[in-house]
Every structure is written in structure tokens, then in C-alpha cells.
Amino acid sequence: MTGNPADGAESYSLVRRQRELASLYATAKSLTALGELDEVLRSIVRHAHDLTGTDFTYLSLVGADGGLSARASEGTISASFLAAGIPAGVGLGGKVLASRSPHWVRNYAAATLIEHDPGFDRLVVTERLVALLGVPLVIRGEAVGALFAGDRSERSFQADEIALLSAFADHAAVALDNARLYEASRTSLHELRIAYRKIEKHVAVMQRAQAIHEALTGVVLAGGTPGDVAQLLADQLGGGITLLDRTGAALVRRTSAASPCDAPPETDLTDAVRDARSSGRCTTSVTSAGVARSVAAIQAGDNHLGALVWSQAAAGRQGAPDEADLRTLERATHILGLLILKERAVVEASERLSGELLTELMVGGPGISPAQLARARARDIDAGHLDLVLVADSPALSPVDLYHHLRDIARDHRGLAGEHLGRATMLLHSVDDERTVEEVHRRLRRTVGGPVLAVGERVVHHDWSRAFSLASRCGAVMRAIGHTDLGATTGRYALYAMLFDTERVHELDRFLSVSIGPLLDYDRRRGTHLVDTLSAYYAHQANVAATARALYIHVNTLLKRLDRAGAVLGLDCRQGNDLELRIGLRLHQLRVSAAGLP
């Protein structure tokens, strides 16, 4: 018995429809399980190719310029097909996007109702593309691309084929949207992780900086020194730390035990310190030896107190230190500034007490009171053994500045230093006076960097005032005779003792009265300058012409003055062989130079 052919066709169509629906459901289910965008696109094209049974299938997405570019294909011939792009509004894809509905052509090359793109038409020839069906990919009302199915022979596309590809495109659009959202989520998650790592790093840096700051504060509160601060920085930051004073000299050098680094010479830091001072921030440079050198100035208002230098191997930090570490270095300069100011205040208070005690001993003696002994003992000084007074003078420095240099020497000798009657003065104990004064002179000379005169006088019966007077007056005599850069005791100038020893002033008066007294009286009565003329004459080795030039007078005038001086003294001054006269004139000159001293 034969069946009805129509029933057989209907049964075949139903089975085919069921198979397509089952395949469509399985495809949609598999698409929703995918995540990567490119993987989703390839899967969409592969499943669409299997469902439609066409020769090739491809998918294009809308780009930023509105044109379509192929992203995935199945069954194509040319490897360059995926590089194909069609401008906006061109080709079959342009009509699909504009209408957001399916469109097809029996023969693409011969179609006249679409605008052709020459580049795509060349691919049409290469792929032997003839019939083409395109359906839109619509996401939330926006056409984001198109799915195409094509054959290499001319044909028409039936309604069920169009519906099947459209249904598949709807599922594919959902999968595509999910893939985009998944990719956006992954990108956001990646960015979030990067941001979180940055936050973690920043928090770690902040915690480290806070820990260092707390440690630095702890050092200060515990009474630590600038050296303790420098060591803490070296241990925490690595490398080496150098503390410079305001002149650029190194006060403290500290290195890390874990990663030591030699500090550069101070002479190489002059420009870096100047740059740090002018910018107000930490400056960093890398030396030819590969050492990163960061310099931060220590300031208190406009007052420059010094600089902090951090040295480390540049290779370990890609040539530049971390910004947080540089900020830590800058904060450390604030703490060091406070410490330096504190130490300076303590030193100044100590200097003030030292100067006050020195002045008390000078003006209150001879002798020393129990209260003065106690005050000196509190400073670890035995006032009863301060048996040498030293007076210093330098043309390069004021007495106050010179006294600041003396204070360190006084501290080493457990003595007192101060400014007394306008002179830098020091009281100290000495066993060998000449050697002690010479040592002090050497230290001052090295520190000052210029000529220094240091004169010492031994103290007898705690009479510091008399010793100060002798040393001061002896210094004036030394300068008058041309000795301006040495250290000596007054004993070395005993020949001139009558000039600076006030107890021997009457001896000097008697000698001058005998030797040049008549000339002094004559000059006082007549307002002449015979003493000065005769002194200049002997100073120029009795050379008439040289003396006349020195005094800015005519030779005849000089000869008349010499004759008059000889008449007053009752001798021939031109002979120049009277030793007593010469000594008298010289002592008179030196006495005038030392006049006005205590």
C-alpha cells in the first residue's frame, strides 16, 4: 500500500523543523556558556554555518566609523577575507543595518539595488560569492552588526531559511552582548586589580613612611643625636647618609649594614646643595659611577642649617629613588633642623654661661669664690686650675666669631671661653704654656683659614684680670713689630715687657725721659714732629732721600729737622750710631701703638 506523497513531504518538513529547533536550542545554550568575545564570534559563525548548510558564513560588526568589518568566517577561501571592510551604508550589509531587517540577493555581483564597494567586489570574485543573505544583530534596539550566509551559485532564500538565520541571529546577539559585558567586566576587574595593587603598594609605602617617621620621632624624644637620626635613615632606606653643616663640611656619615654605599666627597655636593636650597625640594642626580645621590637642604626659615645626602646604588632602583623615600628624606630634614636648633640653643646657653663665668673670674679676682667654684664644677671644670689666659685676634674674623671657634678648644681643655672687653679670650689649664699656646694657634689657624695671633700669659694667684691685660697689651706690641700670625706667651717678648706690663710703666717712663725726653718736650711745646722725623730717618737706614719721600717733605726740610733734633739732644743725629736713642724712639712708637689697651 502506497502512502500519500504530500503526507511524506509534510512529515519530512516536520522532522527537519524539529531538528533545526533542537539544533538552534543546543546552539543557543552553548553560546551562552562562552565568555571571550572572539571565541563567541567564531562559535556564532560555526553554528550558523552548520544550521543553514550554505557554502560559507561570516559575521561583521559595526566599527567606530559606522562601517562593517568582518570578524569571523566559515567556509571562505581567501585568507584576507577577515580583513574586509565595507563603508557605512554600502553593500547588502548597509541595507540590513539601515532597516534592521533581513535582505538577500540572488546574484550579488549583478544586484543593482545595492551600492557596491570596489574593494568588497574584488573579494566577491575571489570567493565566487553569488547568492547572499544578511540578517541584523540587534542589541537593545541598536544594530551592532550583521550575520551573512552565502552560496557560490545563484539561488533564492526561502522564508524558513530567513527565519532560521534571524532566530539564530537573535540568540547570537544575546551571546554577543553577554560576551561584550563579560569582556567589559573582565577589563574592569583587571583595572580594579591594578588599582587595588596600586592602593596596596601606596598603603604599604605610607605605612613604611609612617613607621620611619614614628621611629625618627622616637629618636628625638629619647634624646637622640643627629648621628642617631642619620643611622636610622641609613638602616631604613639603605645606602649611606651624610649630614653636612652649613659650610658644606661633613658632620656625620652613616651607612646601612645591609646595603652600604660610599658617600661622595663634600666638594662634589656644592652644586647639589645649592639646587636643593633654591628649589626647596629634594634633588637627585646619578654619578658616572652609578650612584644615585639625593640631597635635601635643612632650613629653619631663611636660615640654612646644612643638608642631608642619601647615596645608594642606582642600578637597584632603575636609576631613581622612590618618591616616598624622597619625601621621607625631606621630613627627616625637618626633624634634623629641630635637633640642630635644639643643640644650638643648648650650646648658646652653655656659651653664655661660660662667658658669664669667665667675665666673673676676670672682674671679680684676684681670688675665686665658693659659688664660682661650684658653678665651674657643675660644668666639669676645675676653676682653681685655670692657670693660663689666652687672647686671640684675627683680621679675618670679629672677636665674636673667633670666640665661637675658641669654645670647641676650650671644651677639649675643660676650660672657659668668651668675649671679654672686645677680645676673644680663653681660660684653661696648662702644664707647658708655650706648647699649649702654639697648639691653640695651629687649631685656630686651620679653622679660620687665615692669620691668627694667639698670646698666652700665666695666671698668678688667680689674678686672671692682670694676665688678660698683659696678654692683650703684648699682642698689640707683637702686631706693632709685624708679628701677626703666631702663637706665643708674653715671656717670649720679655724684651718689650716695659711696654705691656703696667707694673713696669715707671721704668719705661724713666728710660724714655733719658733717651728722648727733650725731643718729646720740644714737640709738645712747639707742635713740631721731630720725634716722628727722627724715627722715620732711622727706619730708612739714615737714607735722606728715602726718608724725605716717606714723609712727603723736601730734602732740605728734612736736613733742617735733623739738625734741630741734634741741637735739642746735644748730639749729631746724622751719625745714626746712638743705640740708646734708637731704642728710645722704637719703644716710644710701640707704646703709642699699644695705647688704650687695658
Side-chain angles (χ1 to χ4, degrees):
M1 180 177 177
T2 59
N4 189 342
D7 293 339
E10 182 179 352
S11 176
Y12 173 76
S13 177
L14 180 61
V15 170
R16 179 187 171 202
R17 182 66 175 167
Q18 289 175 342
R19 181 177 61 81
E20 289 176 346
L21 290 175
S23 178
L24 183 63
Y25 173 76
T27 299
K29 184 177 180 181
S30 65
L31 286 176
T32 58
L34 298 175
E36 296 285 350
L37 179 60
D38 290 337
E39 182 183 0
V40 169
L41 296 177
R42 288 192 297 269
S43 181
I44 288 172
V45 171
R46 186 171 60 253
H47 283 89
H49 187 69
D50 293 341
L51 282 176
T52 59
T54 53
D55 291 336
F56 63 89
T57 309
Y58 69 93
L59 184 149
S60 296
L61 294 181
V62 177
D65 58 354
L68 281 171
S69 58
R71 294 289 300 273
S73 67
E74 191 77 20
T76 54
I77 298 173
S78 173
S80 62
F81 187 83
L82 287 180
I86 300 179
V90 176
L92 185 67
K95 295 187 67 174
V96 170
L97 292 179
S99 63
R100 285 186 294 180
S101 61
H103 286 274
W104 61 273
V105 291
R106 292 175 58 83
N107 189 322
Y108 187 89
T112 58
L113 297 179
I114 59 174
E115 183 180 349
H116 287 264
D117 176 64
F120 188 76
D121 285 353
R122 285 192 292 271
L123 285 174
V124 167
V125 175
T126 302
E127 293 290 339
R128 300 196 301 276
L129 185 154
V130 180
L132 185 63
L133 167 65
V135 295
L137 296 175
V138 181
I139 298 176
R140 289 184 289 279
E142 179 185 0
V144 298
L147 182 63
F148 298 93
D151 276 328
R152 293 186 172 90
S153 60
E154 189 173 313
R155 58 164 289 193
S156 300
F157 289 93
Q158 303 302 315
D160 59 342
E161 293 178 302
I162 297 172
L164 177 64
L165 192 63
S166 296
F168 187 84
D170 291 339
H171 288 292
V174 173
L176 179 61
D177 190 31
N178 289 340
R180 284 183 166 179
L181 292 174
Y182 174 71
E183 187 171 273
S185 298
R186 286 190 61 186
T187 302
S188 299
L189 180 61
H190 179 67
E191 292 175 350
L192 184 62
R193 285 173 177 169
I194 293 175
Y196 182 72
R197 283 195 292 269
K198 289 182 178 179
I199 292 173
E200 278 187 326
K201 182 180 178 181
H202 181 69
V203 170
V205 169
M206 293 297 294
Q207 289 176 342
R208 178 168 175 262
Q210 182 179 357
I212 296 176
H213 185 71
E214 290 177 354
L216 290 172
T217 305
V219 168
V220 176
L221 294 177
T225 65
D228 298 327
V229 173
Q231 186 61 62
L232 176 62
L233 285 174
D235 293 339
Q236 294 291 334
L237 302 179
I241 296 292
T242 304
L243 175 62
L244 306 178
D245 65 12
R246 58 185 177 181
T247 67
L251 292 176
V252 174
R253 296 182 189 272
R254 296 291 186 270
T255 57
S256 167
S259 55
C261 181
D262 293 334
E266 298 93 293
T267 53
D268 296 341
L269 298 171
T270 304
D271 293 340
V273 172
R274 185 182 60 251
D275 293 342
R277 287 186 63 184
S278 61
S279 67
R281 300 302 300 269
C282 187
T283 61
T284 301
S285 60
V286 180
T287 67
S288 58
V291 175
R293 200 173 56 187
S294 302
V295 180
I298 304 174
Q299 299 283 132
D302 294 333
N303 190 13
H304 177 62
L305 303 178
L308 196 59
V309 183
W310 175 30
S311 305
Q312 58 170 337
R317 294 178 178 261
Q318 293 76 45
D322 189 271
E323 282 294 323
D325 289 339
L326 295 181
R327 302 293 82 80
T328 296
L329 195 69
E330 289 178 351
R331 284 193 290 270
T333 62
H334 302 158
I335 292 177
L336 282 170
L338 292 175
L339 276 180
I340 292 172
L341 289 176
K342 174 188 172 184
E343 287 189 346
R344 182 176 293 181
V346 171
V347 169
E348 288 176 352
S350 176
E351 290 176 0
R352 186 171 58 254
L353 292 175
S354 174
E356 290 174 356
L357 184 55
L358 182 144
T359 300
E360 286 184 19
L361 294 177
M362 287 289 187
V363 301
I368 182 170
S369 69
Q372 291 169 339
L373 281 171
R375 289 179 60 192
R377 195 178 302 113
R379 298 172 56 79
D380 195 27
I381 296 172
D382 185 355
H385 283 75
L386 299 178
D387 49 15
L388 181 67
V389 172
L390 187 142
V391 177
D393 178 59
S394 172
L397 292 177
S398 68
V400 175
D401 292 334
L402 191 58
Y403 143 63
H404 287 311
H405 292 296
L406 271 181
R407 73 187 180 200
D408 296 329
I409 303 175
R411 189 182 304 116
D412 294 342
H413 286 271
R414 297 171 63 185
L416 297 173
E419 182 189 2
H420 183 63
L421 298 180
R423 295 192 173 276
T425 307
M426 181 168 62
L427 307 181
L428 67 161
H429 173 63
S430 172
V431 176
D432 186 338
D433 295 350
E434 286 287 348
R435 184 175 179 180
T436 300
V437 176
E438 289 173 357
E439 177 193 345
V440 171
H441 172 260
R442 281 195 300 270
R443 289 186 60 175
L444 284 176
R445 185 69 169 78
R446 185 168 56 249
T447 305
V448 172
V452 175
L453 189 65
V455 187
E457 169 66 15
R458 175 151 288 272
V459 178
V460 179
H461 301 308
H462 296 164
D463 193 348
W464 294 281
S465 179
R466 170 173 165 74
F468 171 80
S469 178
L470 291 175
S472 299
R473 295 173 64 85
C474 182
V477 172
M478 292 166 65
R479 286 190 297 274
I481 62 178
H483 298 175
T484 58
D485 188 17
L486 80 161
T489 63
T490 59
R492 189 187 299 184
Y493 291 84
L495 178 63
Y496 302 94
M498 287 189 299
L499 292 169
F500 59 78
D501 189 345
T502 55
E503 293 184 355
R504 300 184 60 184
V505 67
H506 299 299
E507 298 178 22
L508 178 61
D509 289 341
R510 285 194 298 270
F511 181 78
L512 293 180
S513 177
V514 171
S515 58
I516 62 172
L519 277 182
L520 293 171
D521 292 339
Y522 189 88
D523 282 344
R524 274 194 298 270
R525 292 195 312 269
R526 304 292 183 90
T528 55
H529 303 282
L530 297 182
V531 172
D532 292 340
T533 301
L534 203 55
S535 297
Y537 179 68
Y538 289 140
H540 288 84
Q541 308 299 320
N543 187 313
V544 174
T547 306
R549 284 194 299 271
L551 296 176
Y552 300 101
I553 61 176
H554 195 274
V555 171
N556 292 335
T557 303
L558 173 62
L559 293 175
K560 290 178 180 179
R561 288 186 184 180
L562 292 177
D563 291 340
R564 189 177 301 117
V568 172
L569 294 173
L571 53 83
D572 186 359
C573 294
R574 297 193 195 184
Q575 294 298 322
N577 57 2
D578 192 322
L579 179 60
E580 186 177 87
L581 173 60
R582 289 190 173 215
I583 293 175
L585 290 169
R586 184 59 175 152
L587 289 177
H588 172 70
Q589 285 181 315
L590 295 176
R591 187 182 203 183
V592 171
S593 300
L597 291 174

